[in-house]
């Protein structure tokens, strides 16, 4: 059964940090990359960051560049999102997803999705 399970969300004050994890149960080599997206109440799902499995290349949304870091483990089963200098506008449900095609900023190119983890940043 294909599964992506996120963890690490929670409540943090502005300026604080959180580290999200995403564990994959399937053969990740069948996908190009892993990405993180987020969705705030009343807003569309937006791209946050992505990392390719083979080269480890990364791409970030401008809104998180310099504050968030996406990484992966050596086994190719877990992806992380280190979030520093958090702002109230980062509050959202964060989803990890596995990409089946390009371009990687587009959610429709992601084949598998996790259930999401809530991140709340208080001011």
């Amino acid at each position: 059964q294909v599964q992506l399970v996120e963890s690490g969300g929670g409540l943090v004050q502005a300026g604080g940090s959180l580290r999200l994890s995403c564990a994959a149960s399937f053969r990740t080599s069948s996908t190009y990359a892993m990405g993180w997206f987020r969705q705030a109440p009343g807003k569309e799902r937006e791209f946050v960051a992505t990392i390719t499995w083979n080269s480890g290349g990364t791409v970030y949304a401008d809104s998180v560049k310099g504050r968030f870091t996406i990484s992966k483990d050596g086994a190719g089963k877990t992806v992380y999102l280190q979030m520093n200098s958090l702002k109230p506008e980062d509050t959202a449900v964060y989803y990890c997803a596995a990409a089946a095609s390009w371009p990687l900023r587009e959610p429709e190119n992601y084949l598998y999705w996790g259930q999401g983890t809530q991140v709340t940043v208080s001011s």
Side-chain angles (χ1 to χ4, degrees), residues 25-106:
S25 66
F26 58 94
R27 186 170 57 91
T28 56
S29 59
S30 64
T31 60
Y32 288 112
M34 293 291 289
W36 286 95
F37 290 78
R38 66 187 182 186
Q39 188 166 19
K43 295 187 177 181
E44 293 188 353
R45 190 168 297 189
E46 66 170 346
F47 168 77
V48 175
T50 189
I51 184 167
T52 59
W53 284 119
N54 54 357
S55 68
T58 58
V59 178
Y60 295 92
D62 288 344
S63 58
V64 306
K65 201 173 295 183
R67 300 187 298 122
F68 290 11
T69 303
I70 189 170
S71 61
K72 60 184 177 68
D73 70 346
K77 285 294 187 182
T78 305
V79 174
Y80 307 95
L81 186 68
Q82 177 66 43
M83 306 185 294
N84 298 329
S85 302
L86 282 162
K87 305 175 182 179
E89 51 263 43
D90 294 318
T91 295
V93 177
Y94 284 70
Y95 300 89
C96 70
S101 59
W102 301 79
L104 297 177
R105 290 178 180 266
E106 302 301 326

